[in-house]
Amino acid sequence: MATVNFSVPDDIRQEFNQLFEKENKSAILTRLMQQAIEEKKQQQRRLLAIDKILQLRATQAPVSAADIEQAREELRR
C-alpha cells in the first residue's frame, strides 16, 4: 500500500478531522478517490459518446420537421 502526501487547507483538514473523528480516515479518502476516478472515467465515456454521435450526425442528411412529424403520425397508426 502506498502513502500519499498532499496539501489541504487548514480549515478543511480541521473540519474533516472533527466530522470523521472516530472513523478510518484512510478508508474515507480511498473511497473518495475511487469515486473521483469513476466520475472522471464516466465523463470521458460521455465525451466519447458525444463525439461519436456528432460524427454520425455529420454523415446523415438533414430531416425536415415536416418529415419527422409525418413519421410520427405513421407510427401512431
Side-chain angles (χ1 to χ4, degrees), residues 9-68:
D10 288 335
D11 58 331
I12 300 296
R13 181 185 55 82
Q14 289 170 354
E15 189 171 6
F16 180 83
N17 285 335
Q18 285 176 345
L19 289 172
F20 298 101
E21 181 179 8
K22 296 179 182 178
E23 296 185 46
N24 181 339
K25 293 174 189 72
S26 293
I28 293 167
L29 291 173
T30 298
R31 188 180 75 242
L32 290 171
M33 291 173 79
Q34 289 170 330
Q35 288 173 351
I37 290 167
E38 186 52 41
E39 287 174 13
K40 184 67 171 182
K41 286 180 179 180
Q42 187 176 46
Q43 180 185 31
Q44 291 170 340
R45 288 190 301 267
R46 285 180 182 147
L47 291 174
L48 182 61
I50 290 169
D51 286 343
K52 287 182 179 183
I53 290 169
L54 291 176
Q55 288 173 2
L56 180 62
R57 287 189 69 190
T59 64
Q60 294 180 332
V63 179
S64 71
D67 289 341
I68 293 172

Side-chain angles (χ1 to χ4, degrees), residues 69-77:
E69 184 61 31
Q70 181 181 353
R72 286 182 178 155
E73 287 299 321
E74 289 174 5
L75 288 172
R76 289 181 183 146
R77 294 179 198 170

